[in-house]
Amino acid sequence: MQKVVVLDFGAQYGQLIARRVRDLHVYSEVVPSDISADELLALEPSAIILSGGPASVYAEEAPSMDPEILELGIPVLGLCYGMQLMAELLGGEVAHNDVGEYGPAELRRGCASVLLTGTPDVQTVWMSHRDAVSAAPEDFMVTATTEACPVAAMELPRKRWYATQFHPEVRHTAAGSKILSNFLFAICGLEPTWTMANVIDAKVAEIRGQVGDGRVILALSGGVDSAVCAALVHRAVGERLTCVFVNHGLLRKGEPESVEHVFSEVFGIPLVHVHAEERYLRLLAGVDDPEAKRRIIGTEFWKVFFEEAGKLGDVQFLAQGTIYPDIIESGARKTGGKASTIKSHHNLIPFPPGVSFELVEPLDHLFKDEVRELGEELGLPAELVWRQPFPGPGLAIRIIGDVTAEKVALVREADAIVREELDAYNQRLFEKTGERNSAHACWQYFAVLPDVRSVGVMGDERTYERPVILRAVESADAMTADWARLPYDVLASISARIVGEVAGVNRVVYDITSKPPATIEWE
Ligand code: XMP
């Protein structure tokens, strides 16, 4: 498989470059910048991209790279810091400027360049730098400039070395996608063959190779990643996959039923539905500390899971839906020739003593939206594949204070109304714009039950009941978020429905805090 390897120098949006390359149907992965030329060669890259990064090339702690990498005969594209590093390593000069260039800049093309072919002579590009190359290395051609940047793009076609000070991976660079295509297809001669259909074929073959005629178990959580993983592993090994669904009683309304329906009835996957609702309520009784709740729920999940796994007899493999950001964020490096270290934050498995399984992680190189696409291609229903994020500890961390059956029922009903109303709102926006996560679409939305009561009046009666907090945010990746600017009439109908339909609630309030300083969840 053709592959573009991105060396990550700590870029603000390190993964973005790989995503843009994949959008062009070429497989790409990110590796730390301190990779050696030999390690890199073992990955068999067809092209190398050097990312941006926050450092100055002259700073003491500045990340560098193995200079041998430039001499492997593989085409290289340096972006921003990546370009400055190329200049420095190849004998050019980088100047430390007092004033930086941040945001849109007008790029003027110089001499002919395959990299810039098909883009306007004068175009808007996105810049984010203080230092800049002041003199290109020997033999390089300067192919573009901006007012602040005498060398905004440079290249040495004979060596297939290319570089831009601006960021083609950022959408604000109008011709960014064209520039990346020029690099991938015109310069490196790659083929746009990385599609979800091909990914399925390759992964199915890989899983069959790993599992042989062994048996696999998988913990279904109700979320997207484990669901897609199950569908994919099932495609590869059929009935030799058993799914264990631990129902902790903290899922959203209708979710356990939908898991049963999709996996048991539609896909025909052997499914063990473990009703652990009572067990969880007992464990959580009186616990009000958020971290303690998380710990109890997480520990118990695996305890229940391994109890069930033990009953299944001889099973050698455990599949799980670890995805690429889990791997990158945990700093684990998974390179071709090296043993993998998995330290995924949400996915750390506490194997009991004496228990061991070989892990099957077929999604570990996919981004979230690719996992969704794969799910659709595998025939999973859209409402499952496009489900909004939902925390592993479920409704327990949306109940402030201790968890009781009554509170779970209340927040579940309120949450169902929030979802119904805002699903419909998002659908209206989708029909208007044709985009799933268009501006002002809600990305995540739910109800929170705080640990207070307030006075109200219903009919002629004074009430002393609970408020529900509505949380609805716009976001792309949960790292930052803003509260959704919902139309008043949408807010009004959510409020009216919750107080009208959910017994025990007499007030609805809207959380108007962004992340940071708040988080999306309340606990
Ligand atoms: P916060 O509240 O930190 O959440 O802004 C960011 C995103 O992560 C989700 N989240 C979790 N997901 N297990 C998960 O699988 C968890 O324990 C957990 N806590 C938060 C949250 O819903 C949001 O999308």
Side-chain angles (χ1 to χ4, degrees), residues 294 346 389-393 397-398 443-444 446 477-479 515 518-523:
R294 276 175 196 274
H346 296 319
F390 185 64
I397 58 158
R398 292 177 179 172
W443 189 79
Q444 194 173 5
F446 51 88
D477 53 11
M479 303 293 283
K515 171 183 179 177
T519 49
I520 296 176
E521 303 286 349
W522 270 56
E523 285 195 339

Side-chain angles (χ1 to χ4, degrees), residues 203 206-207 229 232-233 319-322 360-366 374:
K203 289 292 167 190
E206 216 174 275
I207 296 166
C229 186
L232 184 59
V233 175
Q320 65 158 6
T322 311
V360 180
E361 299 184 293
L363 310 179
D364 66 351
H365 277 73
L366 297 181
L374 191 75

Side-chain angles (χ1 to χ4, degrees), residues 14 65 102 297 358 377 388 398 410 412 434 506:
M65 61 184 274
Y102 299 97
I297 295 167
E358 191 178 319
E377 188 84 26
Q388 53 171 311
R398 292 177 179 172
L410 191 154
R412 180 180 286 136
N506 66 352

Side-chain angles (χ1 to χ4, degrees), residues 452-495:
V452 292
R453 284 172 193 263
S454 79
V455 173
V457 56
M458 270 185 180
D460 290 330
E461 297 276 327
R462 175 187 180 279
T463 58
Y464 186 55
E465 290 182 325
R466 296 182 181 283
V468 157
I469 297 160
L470 168 64
R471 183 69 164 145
V473 297
E474 297 172 16
S475 178
D477 53 11
M479 303 293 283
T480 61
D482 200 3
W483 58 281
R485 304 311 199 254
L486 292 173
Y488 284 165
D489 57 342
V490 173
L491 288 170
S493 61
I494 293 174
S495 163

